[in-house]
């Protein structure tokens, strides 16, 4: 009887784990989209894909129409080749209000021949002293790479190509903002 109960529990948990509900979201309905002066950034397909372009004069901004308390976001990014000094490629999650919270990736441009540095930041209650930097183990200009952020009540995890590179744990219950 115990064996049958254990088997039914495994089947039940597996059924829950495999039953993923897909969200039918479209950028055109869920995001504000502002193409820069270059007007090269576009919505593709039926509004379910974006191509964001950075050129010598402008970039692109997107912003969700809805606020999210927890979740995940990922971007496929190919960084600028050659001398990219003065260029900042970034994506970030940001709160509104007087106590600014932010989670981000930043890639600061560099002089030709120098490696890029991956910057990860977290701002809590306006304090931005929680930056960490990483040298990539790959060439971020040689194709698109997946940069993801997963956040929940207990931690924030930054991933590059599905490999976790940083974990920031929430110790607010121990008095740490």
């Amino acid at each position: 009887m115990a064996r049958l109960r254990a088997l039914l529990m495994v089947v039940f948990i597996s059924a829950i784990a495999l039953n993923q509900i897909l969200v039918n979201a479209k950028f055109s309905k869920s995001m504000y989209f502002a193409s820069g002066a270059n007007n090269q950034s576009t919505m593709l397909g039926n509004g379910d894909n974006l191509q964001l372009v950075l050129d010598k004069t402008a970039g692109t901004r997107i912003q969700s129409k809805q606020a999210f308390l927890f979740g995940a976001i990922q971007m496929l990014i190919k960084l600028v080749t050659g001398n990219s000094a003065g260029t900042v490629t970034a994506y970030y999650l940001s709160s509104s209000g007087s106590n600014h919270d932010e989670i981000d990736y930043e890639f600061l441009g560099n002089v030709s021949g120098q490696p890029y540095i991956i910057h990860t930041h977290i701002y809590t209650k306006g304090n931005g002293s929680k930056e960490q930097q990483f040298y990539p183990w790959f060439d971020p200009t040689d194709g698109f790479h997946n940069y993801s952020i997963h956040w929940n009540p207990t931690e924030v995890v930054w991933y590059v190509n599905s490999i976790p590179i940083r974990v920031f744990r929430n110790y607010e219950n121990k008095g740490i903002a």
Side-chain angles (χ1 to χ4, degrees):
M1 185 63 151
R3 206 176 231 186
L4 177 61
R5 183 176 286 158
L7 178 62
L8 288 175
M9 185 61 80
V10 168
V11 169
F12 178 73
I13 291 172
S14 297
I16 290 172
L18 294 174
N19 183 21
Q20 297 179 2
I21 298 172
L22 297 177
V23 176
N24 186 11
K26 303 267 184 215
F27 283 108
S28 57
K29 293 183 179 181
S30 62
M31 305 294 279
Y32 297 110
F33 176 73
S35 183
N38 60 27
N39 287 326
Q40 295 177 31
S41 297
T42 58
M43 256 184 236
L44 304 172
N46 294 321
D48 52 359
N49 284 304
L50 288 177
Q51 179 179 358
L52 306 179
V53 176
L54 169 69
D55 67 13
K56 292 180 181 183
T57 61
T60 301
R61 180 178 61 86
I62 58 171
Q63 177 182 344
S64 64
K65 294 179 179 178
Q66 180 179 351
F68 297 94
L69 190 56
F70 303 109
I73 185 170
Q74 62 182 352
M75 295 274 183
L76 297 175
I77 298 173
K78 180 180 178 183
L79 295 176
V80 177
T81 59
N83 186 351
S84 59
T87 302
V88 177
T89 301
Y91 87 87
Y92 60 93
L93 312 165
S94 181
S95 67
S96 57
S98 59
N99 283 334
H100 179 75
D101 294 327
E102 182 178 305
I103 305 167
D104 69 32
Y105 269 109
E106 289 183 5
F107 310 90
L108 304 181
N110 59 8
V111 178
S112 295
Q114 298 299 313
Y116 266 97
I117 300 173
I118 299 171
H119 299 257
T120 61
H121 299 94
I122 188 161
Y123 291 81
T124 56
K125 298 180 181 175
N127 181 345
S129 63
K130 298 166 183 72
E131 175 184 0
Q132 286 188 357
Q133 300 175 351
F134 304 88
Y135 285 98
W137 58 94
F138 56 90
D139 181 358
T141 67
D142 188 32
F144 288 89
H145 295 275
N146 188 330
Y147 300 90
S148 305
I149 301 171
H150 295 253
W151 75 102
N152 61 46
T154 61
E155 64 188 11
V156 178
V157 183
W158 289 258
Y159 295 86
V160 176
N161 297 329
S162 301
I163 298 170
I165 63 166
R166 179 181 181 190
V167 176
F168 181 85
R169 291 199 166 72
N170 182 352
Y171 292 114
E172 190 171 34
N173 63 351
K174 296 184 183 190
I176 302 170

